PDB file of all heavy atoms in Angstrom:
ATOM      1  N   LEU E   1     -33.876  -7.734  24.016  1.00  0.00           N
ATOM      2  CA  LEU E   1     -34.533  -8.427  25.068  1.00  0.00           C
ATOM      3  C   LEU E   1     -33.533  -8.790  26.167  1.00  0.00           C
ATOM      4  O   LEU E   1     -32.455  -9.141  25.910  1.00  0.00           O
ATOM      5  CB  LEU E   1     -35.198  -9.723  24.538  1.00  0.00           C
ATOM      6  CG  LEU E   1     -36.329  -9.578  23.517  1.00  0.00           C
ATOM      7  CD1 LEU E   1     -36.790 -10.926  23.058  1.00  0.00           C
ATOM      8  CD2 LEU E   1     -37.556  -8.796  24.012  1.00  0.00           C
ATOM      9  N   PRO E   2     -33.991  -8.571  27.468  1.00  0.00           N
ATOM     10  CA  PRO E   2     -33.024  -8.743  28.488  1.00  0.00           C
ATOM     11  C   PRO E   2     -32.466 -10.199  28.563  1.00  0.00           C
ATOM     12  O   PRO E   2     -31.507 -10.453  29.288  1.00  0.00           O
ATOM     13  CB  PRO E   2     -33.795  -8.255  29.801  1.00  0.00           C
ATOM     14  CG  PRO E   2     -35.192  -8.425  29.451  1.00  0.00           C
ATOM     15  CD  PRO E   2     -35.294  -8.068  27.878  1.00  0.00           C
ATOM     16  N   ASN E   3     -33.280 -11.164  28.116  1.00  0.00           N
ATOM     17  CA  ASN E   3     -32.884 -12.553  28.338  1.00  0.00           C
ATOM     18  C   ASN E   3     -32.028 -13.141  27.100  1.00  0.00           C
ATOM     19  O   ASN E   3     -31.812 -14.320  27.087  1.00  0.00           O
ATOM     20  CB  ASN E   3     -34.148 -13.444  28.412  1.00  0.00           C
ATOM     21  CG  ASN E   3     -35.129 -13.459  27.164  1.00  0.00           C
ATOM     22  OD1 ASN E   3     -35.198 -12.354  26.472  1.00  0.00           O
ATOM     23  ND2 ASN E   3     -35.636 -14.579  26.689  1.00  0.00           N
ATOM     24  N   VAL E   4     -31.597 -12.311  26.172  1.00  0.00           N
ATOM     25  CA  VAL E   4     -30.969 -12.802  24.960  1.00  0.00           C
ATOM     26  C   VAL E   4     -29.588 -12.261  25.059  1.00  0.00           C
ATOM     27  O   VAL E   4     -29.361 -11.026  25.324  1.00  0.00           O
ATOM     28  CB  VAL E   4     -31.668 -12.315  23.683  1.00  0.00           C
ATOM     29  CG1 VAL E   4     -30.835 -12.730  22.431  1.00  0.00           C
ATOM     30  CG2 VAL E   4     -33.090 -12.808  23.675  1.00  0.00           C
ATOM     31  N   HIS E   5     -28.617 -13.160  24.877  1.00  0.00           N
ATOM     32  CA  HIS E   5     -27.257 -12.812  25.032  1.00  0.00           C
ATOM     33  C   HIS E   5     -26.377 -13.142  23.779  1.00  0.00           C
ATOM     34  O   HIS E   5     -26.495 -14.345  23.321  1.00  0.00           O
ATOM     35  CB  HIS E   5     -26.574 -13.551  26.305  1.00  0.00           C
ATOM     36  CG  HIS E   5     -27.459 -13.472  27.407  1.00  0.00           C
ATOM     37  ND1 HIS E   5     -27.724 -12.381  28.246  1.00  0.00           N
ATOM     38  CD2 HIS E   5     -28.354 -14.497  27.993  1.00  0.00           C
ATOM     39  CE1 HIS E   5     -28.493 -12.609  29.224  1.00  0.00           C
ATOM     40  NE2 HIS E   5     -28.968 -13.906  29.125  1.00  0.00           N
ATOM     41  N   LEU E   6     -25.670 -12.252  23.204  1.00  0.00           N
ATOM     42  CA  LEU E   6     -24.789 -12.526  22.040  1.00  0.00           C
ATOM     43  C   LEU E   6     -23.427 -13.015  22.571  1.00  0.00           C
ATOM     44  O   LEU E   6     -22.748 -12.333  23.235  1.00  0.00           O
ATOM     45  CB  LEU E   6     -24.674 -11.301  21.130  1.00  0.00           C
ATOM     46  CG  LEU E   6     -23.773 -11.509  19.900  1.00  0.00           C
ATOM     47  CD1 LEU E   6     -24.393 -12.488  18.942  1.00  0.00           C
ATOM     48  CD2 LEU E   6     -23.556 -10.155  19.194  1.00  0.00           C
ATOM     49  N   MET E   7     -22.950 -14.176  22.095  1.00  0.00           N
ATOM     50  CA  MET E   7     -21.625 -14.668  22.478  1.00  0.00           C
ATOM     51  C   MET E   7     -20.718 -14.592  21.267  1.00  0.00           C
ATOM     52  O   MET E   7     -20.998 -15.291  20.165  1.00  0.00           O
ATOM     53  CB  MET E   7     -21.842 -16.162  22.946  1.00  0.00           C
ATOM     54  CG  MET E   7     -23.012 -16.388  23.866  1.00  0.00           C
ATOM     55  SD  MET E   7     -22.974 -15.372  25.317  1.00  0.00           S
ATOM     56  CE  MET E   7     -21.578 -16.093  26.256  1.00  0.00           C
ATOM     57  N   ASP E   8     -19.745 -13.789  21.382  1.00  0.00           N
ATOM     58  CA  ASP E   8     -18.898 -13.478  20.228  1.00  0.00           C
ATOM     59  C   ASP E   8     -17.722 -14.574  20.269  1.00  0.00           C
ATOM     60  O   ASP E   8     -16.843 -14.627  21.013  1.00  0.00           O
ATOM     61  CB  ASP E   8     -18.135 -12.149  20.373  1.00  0.00           C
ATOM     62  CG  ASP E   8     -17.303 -11.684  19.196  1.00  0.00           C
ATOM     63  OD1 ASP E   8     -16.984 -12.608  18.446  1.00  0.00           O
ATOM     64  OD2 ASP E   8     -17.002 -10.501  19.131  1.00  0.00           O
ATOM     65  N   CYS E   9     -17.875 -15.491  19.310  1.00  0.00           N
ATOM     66  CA  CYS E   9     -17.075 -16.601  19.294  1.00  0.00           C
ATOM     67  C   CYS E   9     -15.757 -16.394  18.435  1.00  0.00           C
ATOM     68  O   CYS E   9     -14.889 -17.279  18.337  1.00  0.00           O
ATOM     69  CB  CYS E   9     -17.734 -17.893  18.692  1.00  0.00           C
ATOM     70  SG  CYS E   9     -19.151 -18.419  19.718  1.00  0.00           S
ATOM     71  N   ILE E  10     -15.509 -15.147  18.000  1.00  0.00           N
ATOM     72  CA  ILE E  10     -14.210 -14.813  17.450  1.00  0.00           C
ATOM     73  C   ILE E  10     -13.385 -14.306  18.695  1.00  0.00           C
ATOM     74  O   ILE E  10     -12.295 -14.638  18.806  1.00  0.00           O
ATOM     75  CB  ILE E  10     -14.346 -13.633  16.409  1.00  0.00           C
ATOM     76  CG1 ILE E  10     -15.083 -14.179  15.207  1.00  0.00           C
ATOM     77  CG2 ILE E  10     -13.039 -13.080  16.006  1.00  0.00           C
ATOM     78  CD1 ILE E  10     -14.348 -15.301  14.457  1.00  0.00           C
ATOM     79  N   GLU E  11     -14.024 -13.480  19.449  1.00  0.00           N
ATOM     80  CA  GLU E  11     -13.368 -13.009  20.673  1.00  0.00           C
ATOM     81  C   GLU E  11     -13.190 -13.966  21.670  1.00  0.00           C
ATOM     82  O   GLU E  11     -12.245 -14.051  22.441  1.00  0.00           O
ATOM     83  CB  GLU E  11     -14.217 -11.734  21.144  1.00  0.00           C
ATOM     84  CG  GLU E  11     -13.679 -11.077  22.396  1.00  0.00           C
ATOM     85  CD  GLU E  11     -14.586  -9.885  22.766  1.00  0.00           C
ATOM     86  OE1 GLU E  11     -14.465  -8.916  22.172  1.00  0.00           O
ATOM     87  OE2 GLU E  11     -15.296 -10.121  23.707  1.00  0.00           O
ATOM     88  N   ASP E  12     -14.237 -14.869  21.844  1.00  0.00           N
ATOM     89  CA  ASP E  12     -14.256 -15.904  22.907  1.00  0.00           C
ATOM     90  C   ASP E  12     -14.582 -17.120  22.271  1.00  0.00           C
ATOM     91  O   ASP E  12     -15.792 -17.625  22.341  1.00  0.00           O
ATOM     92  CB  ASP E  12     -15.253 -15.431  24.041  1.00  0.00           C
ATOM     93  CG  ASP E  12     -15.088 -16.166  25.249  1.00  0.00           C
ATOM     94  OD1 ASP E  12     -14.185 -17.132  25.379  1.00  0.00           O
ATOM     95  OD2 ASP E  12     -16.012 -16.033  26.143  1.00  0.00           O
ATOM     96  N   PRO E  13     -13.704 -17.913  21.647  1.00  0.00           N
ATOM     97  CA  PRO E  13     -14.052 -19.153  20.766  1.00  0.00           C
ATOM     98  C   PRO E  13     -14.663 -20.225  21.644  1.00  0.00           C
ATOM     99  O   PRO E  13     -14.308 -20.470  22.814  1.00  0.00           O
ATOM    100  CB  PRO E  13     -12.693 -19.387  20.185  1.00  0.00           C
ATOM    101  CG  PRO E  13     -11.851 -18.389  20.399  1.00  0.00           C
ATOM    102  CD  PRO E  13     -12.325 -17.541  21.651  1.00  0.00           C
ATOM    103  N   ILE E  14     -15.471 -21.107  20.997  1.00  0.00           N
ATOM    104  CA  ILE E  14     -15.942 -22.302  21.503  1.00  0.00           C
ATOM    105  C   ILE E  14     -14.740 -23.317  21.606  1.00  0.00           C
ATOM    106  O   ILE E  14     -14.129 -23.489  20.657  1.00  0.00           O
ATOM    107  CB  ILE E  14     -17.091 -22.850  20.625  1.00  0.00           C
ATOM    108  CG1 ILE E  14     -18.374 -22.017  20.737  1.00  0.00           C
ATOM    109  CG2 ILE E  14     -17.465 -24.280  21.134  1.00  0.00           C
ATOM    110  CD1 ILE E  14     -19.494 -22.446  19.830  1.00  0.00           C
ATOM    111  N   GLN E  15     -14.540 -23.840  22.819  1.00  0.00           N
ATOM    112  CA  GLN E  15     -13.620 -24.852  22.972  1.00  0.00           C
ATOM    113  C   GLN E  15     -14.098 -26.328  22.849  1.00  0.00           C
ATOM    114  O   GLN E  15     -13.505 -27.179  22.173  1.00  0.00           O
ATOM    115  CB  GLN E  15     -13.023 -24.670  24.365  1.00  0.00           C
ATOM    116  CG  GLN E  15     -12.387 -23.354  24.734  1.00  0.00           C
ATOM    117  CD  GLN E  15     -11.215 -22.986  23.842  1.00  0.00           C
ATOM    118  OE1 GLN E  15     -10.196 -23.740  23.783  1.00  0.00           O
ATOM    119  NE2 GLN E  15     -11.349 -21.915  23.012  1.00  0.00           N
ATOM    120  N   GLU E  16     -15.380 -26.521  23.332  1.00  0.00           N
ATOM    121  CA  GLU E  16     -15.837 -27.847  23.220  1.00  0.00           C
ATOM    122  C   GLU E  16     -17.360 -27.760  23.750  1.00  0.00           C
ATOM    123  O   GLU E  16     -17.756 -26.778  24.493  1.00  0.00           O
ATOM    124  CB  GLU E  16     -15.110 -28.862  24.081  1.00  0.00           C
ATOM    125  CG  GLU E  16     -15.192 -28.589  25.502  1.00  0.00           C
ATOM    126  CD  GLU E  16     -14.451 -29.651  26.388  1.00  0.00           C
ATOM    127  OE1 GLU E  16     -14.407 -30.720  25.881  1.00  0.00           O
ATOM    128  OE2 GLU E  16     -13.877 -29.332  27.461  1.00  0.00           O
ATOM    129  N   ILE E  17     -18.152 -28.853  23.442  1.00  0.00           N
ATOM    130  CA  ILE E  17     -19.469 -29.052  23.963  1.00  0.00           C
ATOM    131  C   ILE E  17     -19.232 -29.968  25.112  1.00  0.00           C
ATOM    132  O   ILE E  17     -18.467 -30.990  25.073  1.00  0.00           O
ATOM    133  CB  ILE E  17     -20.396 -29.739  22.991  1.00  0.00           C
ATOM    134  CG1 ILE E  17     -20.522 -28.893  21.622  1.00  0.00           C
ATOM    135  CG2 ILE E  17     -21.754 -29.928  23.576  1.00  0.00           C
ATOM    136  CD1 ILE E  17     -21.120 -27.586  21.790  1.00  0.00           C
ATOM    137  N   THR E  18     -19.867 -29.543  26.273  1.00  0.00           N
ATOM    138  CA  THR E  18     -19.608 -30.440  27.494  1.00  0.00           C
ATOM    139  C   THR E  18     -20.960 -31.155  27.783  1.00  0.00           C
ATOM    140  O   THR E  18     -21.931 -30.935  27.155  1.00  0.00           O
ATOM    141  CB  THR E  18     -19.314 -29.524  28.610  1.00  0.00           C
ATOM    142  OG1 THR E  18     -20.465 -28.637  28.999  1.00  0.00           O
ATOM    143  CG2 THR E  18     -18.037 -28.629  28.401  1.00  0.00           C
ATOM    144  N   GLU E  19     -21.025 -31.846  28.886  1.00  0.00           N
ATOM    145  CA  GLU E  19     -22.234 -32.498  29.228  1.00  0.00           C
ATOM    146  C   GLU E  19     -23.310 -31.563  29.746  1.00  0.00           C
ATOM    147  O   GLU E  19     -24.599 -31.753  29.504  1.00  0.00           O
ATOM    148  CB  GLU E  19     -21.971 -33.502  30.477  1.00  0.00           C
ATOM    149  CG  GLU E  19     -21.201 -34.642  30.071  1.00  0.00           C
ATOM    150  CD  GLU E  19     -20.988 -35.565  31.302  1.00  0.00           C
ATOM    151  OE1 GLU E  19     -21.372 -35.213  32.441  1.00  0.00           O
ATOM    152  OE2 GLU E  19     -20.416 -36.692  31.106  1.00  0.00           O
ATOM    153  N   LYS E  20     -22.890 -30.369  30.154  1.00  0.00           N
ATOM    154  CA  LYS E  20     -23.829 -29.355  30.603  1.00  0.00           C
ATOM    155  C   LYS E  20     -24.045 -28.173  29.758  1.00  0.00           C
ATOM    156  O   LYS E  20     -25.023 -27.454  29.916  1.00  0.00           O
ATOM    157  CB  LYS E  20     -23.282 -28.819  31.943  1.00  0.00           C
ATOM    158  CG  LYS E  20     -23.137 -29.787  33.075  1.00  0.00           C
ATOM    159  CD  LYS E  20     -22.748 -29.262  34.387  1.00  0.00           C
ATOM    160  CE  LYS E  20     -22.632 -30.254  35.535  1.00  0.00           C
ATOM    161  NZ  LYS E  20     -22.133 -29.546  36.820  1.00  0.00           N
ATOM    162  N   GLY E  21     -23.276 -28.042  28.666  1.00  0.00           N
ATOM    163  CA  GLY E  21     -23.462 -26.895  27.849  1.00  0.00           C
ATOM    164  C   GLY E  21     -22.311 -26.740  26.807  1.00  0.00           C
ATOM    165  O   GLY E  21     -21.750 -27.602  26.355  1.00  0.00           O
ATOM    166  N   VAL E  22     -21.901 -25.336  26.650  1.00  0.00           N
ATOM    167  CA  VAL E  22     -20.831 -24.962  25.798  1.00  0.00           C
ATOM    168  C   VAL E  22     -19.714 -24.270  26.557  1.00  0.00           C
ATOM    169  O   VAL E  22     -19.930 -23.403  27.273  1.00  0.00           O
ATOM    170  CB  VAL E  22     -21.359 -24.012  24.673  1.00  0.00           C
ATOM    171  CG1 VAL E  22     -20.242 -23.620  23.783  1.00  0.00           C
ATOM    172  CG2 VAL E  22     -22.389 -24.580  23.942  1.00  0.00           C
ATOM    173  N   ARG E  23     -18.455 -24.879  26.384  1.00  0.00           N
ATOM    174  CA  ARG E  23     -17.354 -24.275  26.955  1.00  0.00           C
ATOM    175  C   ARG E  23     -16.669 -23.294  26.080  1.00  0.00           C
ATOM    176  O   ARG E  23     -16.186 -23.766  24.940  1.00  0.00           O
ATOM    177  CB  ARG E  23     -16.286 -25.296  27.485  1.00  0.00           C
ATOM    178  CG  ARG E  23     -15.256 -24.806  28.291  1.00  0.00           C
ATOM    179  CD  ARG E  23     -14.127 -25.899  28.779  1.00  0.00           C
ATOM    180  NE  ARG E  23     -14.723 -27.033  29.429  1.00  0.00           N
ATOM    181  CZ  ARG E  23     -15.125 -26.908  30.631  1.00  0.00           C
ATOM    182  NH1 ARG E  23     -14.922 -25.874  31.340  1.00  0.00           N
ATOM    183  NH2 ARG E  23     -15.705 -28.111  31.215  1.00  0.00           N
ATOM    184  N   LEU E  24     -16.584 -22.066  26.487  1.00  0.00           N
ATOM    185  CA  LEU E  24     -15.783 -21.028  25.686  1.00  0.00           C
ATOM    186  C   LEU E  24     -14.476 -20.895  26.306  1.00  0.00           C
ATOM    187  O   LEU E  24     -14.187 -21.505  27.455  1.00  0.00           O
ATOM    188  CB  LEU E  24     -16.603 -19.767  25.749  1.00  0.00           C
ATOM    189  CG  LEU E  24     -18.058 -19.673  25.210  1.00  0.00           C
ATOM    190  CD1 LEU E  24     -18.707 -18.333  25.555  1.00  0.00           C
ATOM    191  CD2 LEU E  24     -18.069 -19.893  23.762  1.00  0.00           C
ATOM    192  N   ALA E  25     -13.586 -20.122  25.688  1.00  0.00           N
ATOM    193  CA  ALA E  25     -12.269 -19.908  26.236  1.00  0.00           C
ATOM    194  C   ALA E  25     -12.369 -19.252  27.705  1.00  0.00           C
ATOM    195  O   ALA E  25     -11.564 -19.405  28.521  1.00  0.00           O
ATOM    196  CB  ALA E  25     -11.524 -18.997  25.224  1.00  0.00           C
ATOM    197  N   SER E  26     -13.457 -18.419  27.828  1.00  0.00           N
ATOM    198  CA  SER E  26     -13.617 -17.686  29.062  1.00  0.00           C
ATOM    199  C   SER E  26     -14.270 -18.546  30.122  1.00  0.00           C
ATOM    200  O   SER E  26     -14.412 -18.230  31.334  1.00  0.00           O
ATOM    201  CB  SER E  26     -14.446 -16.382  28.853  1.00  0.00           C
ATOM    202  OG  SER E  26     -15.845 -16.748  28.335  1.00  0.00           O
ATOM    203  N   GLY E  27     -14.965 -19.706  29.730  1.00  0.00           N
ATOM    204  CA  GLY E  27     -15.699 -20.554  30.753  1.00  0.00           C
ATOM    205  C   GLY E  27     -16.855 -21.284  30.157  1.00  0.00           C
ATOM    206  O   GLY E  27     -17.193 -21.031  28.952  1.00  0.00           O
ATOM    207  N   GLU E  28     -17.533 -21.985  30.963  1.00  0.00           N
ATOM    208  CA  GLU E  28     -18.674 -22.794  30.556  1.00  0.00           C
ATOM    209  C   GLU E  28     -20.048 -22.137  30.643  1.00  0.00           C
ATOM    210  O   GLU E  28     -20.251 -21.308  31.562  1.00  0.00           O
ATOM    211  CB  GLU E  28     -18.687 -24.042  31.385  1.00  0.00           C
ATOM    212  CG  GLU E  28     -19.756 -25.072  30.927  1.00  0.00           C
ATOM    213  CD  GLU E  28     -19.759 -26.361  31.654  1.00  0.00           C
ATOM    214  OE1 GLU E  28     -19.373 -26.418  32.831  1.00  0.00           O
ATOM    215  OE2 GLU E  28     -19.909 -27.470  31.053  1.00  0.00           O
ATOM    216  N   VAL E  29     -20.855 -22.190  29.669  1.00  0.00           N
ATOM    217  CA  VAL E  29     -22.135 -21.673  29.648  1.00  0.00           C
ATOM    218  C   VAL E  29     -23.107 -22.904  29.806  1.00  0.00           C
ATOM    219  O   VAL E  29     -23.194 -23.786  28.827  1.00  0.00           O
ATOM    220  CB  VAL E  29     -22.576 -20.912  28.227  1.00  0.00           C
ATOM    221  CG1 VAL E  29     -23.939 -20.440  28.295  1.00  0.00           C
ATOM    222  CG2 VAL E  29     -21.574 -19.790  28.134  1.00  0.00           C
ATOM    223  N   GLU E  30     -23.737 -22.953  30.896  1.00  0.00           N
ATOM    224  CA  GLU E  30     -24.657 -24.210  31.075  1.00  0.00           C
ATOM    225  C   GLU E  30     -25.953 -23.905  30.354  1.00  0.00           C
ATOM    226  O   GLU E  30     -26.611 -22.798  30.442  1.00  0.00           O
ATOM    227  CB  GLU E  30     -24.916 -24.373  32.576  1.00  0.00           C
ATOM    228  CG  GLU E  30     -23.625 -24.747  33.381  1.00  0.00           C
ATOM    229  CD  GLU E  30     -23.912 -25.217  34.746  1.00  0.00           C
ATOM    230  OE1 GLU E  30     -25.075 -25.298  35.121  1.00  0.00           O
ATOM    231  OE2 GLU E  30     -23.038 -25.669  35.429  1.00  0.00           O
ATOM    232  N   LEU E  31     -26.384 -25.058  29.712  1.00  0.00           N
ATOM    233  CA  LEU E  31     -27.699 -24.890  28.914  1.00  0.00           C
ATOM    234  C   LEU E  31     -28.538 -26.144  29.078  1.00  0.00           C
ATOM    235  O   LEU E  31     -28.075 -27.217  29.485  1.00  0.00           O
ATOM    236  CB  LEU E  31     -27.232 -24.952  27.345  1.00  0.00           C
ATOM    237  CG  LEU E  31     -26.358 -23.658  26.999  1.00  0.00           C
ATOM    238  CD1 LEU E  31     -25.836 -23.908  25.563  1.00  0.00           C
ATOM    239  CD2 LEU E  31     -27.117 -22.332  27.021  1.00  0.00           C
ATOM    240  N   ASP E  32     -29.808 -25.909  28.843  1.00  0.00           N
ATOM    241  CA  ASP E  32     -30.810 -27.007  28.906  1.00  0.00           C
ATOM    242  C   ASP E  32     -30.925 -27.498  27.485  1.00  0.00           C
ATOM    243  O   ASP E  32     -31.432 -28.739  27.233  1.00  0.00           O
ATOM    244  CB  ASP E  32     -32.138 -26.459  29.377  1.00  0.00           C
ATOM    245  CG  ASP E  32     -32.135 -25.945  30.794  1.00  0.00           C
ATOM    246  OD1 ASP E  32     -31.496 -26.640  31.718  1.00  0.00           O
ATOM    247  OD2 ASP E  32     -32.481 -24.734  31.032  1.00  0.00           O
TER     248      ASP E  32
END
């Protein structure tokens, strides 16, 4: 599906949960 995205957390680990979403090593993913 075009709206579904796989985030590889071995390659790009989660650093923290932020007020707006999830911060990976590569940057923040804003979420509702």
Side-chain angles (χ1 to χ4, degrees):
L1 299 176
N3 65 319
V4 176
H5 316 286
L6 179 65
M7 316 304 287
D8 185 343
C9 296
I10 295 296
E11 181 181 280
D12 192 7
I14 294 177
Q15 304 296 299
E16 63 177 332
I17 305 295
T18 68
E19 292 182 355
K20 296 181 179 180
V22 176
R23 187 182 306 282
L24 302 171
S26 63
E28 186 175 33
V29 180
E30 293 190 3
L31 300 167
D32 301 306

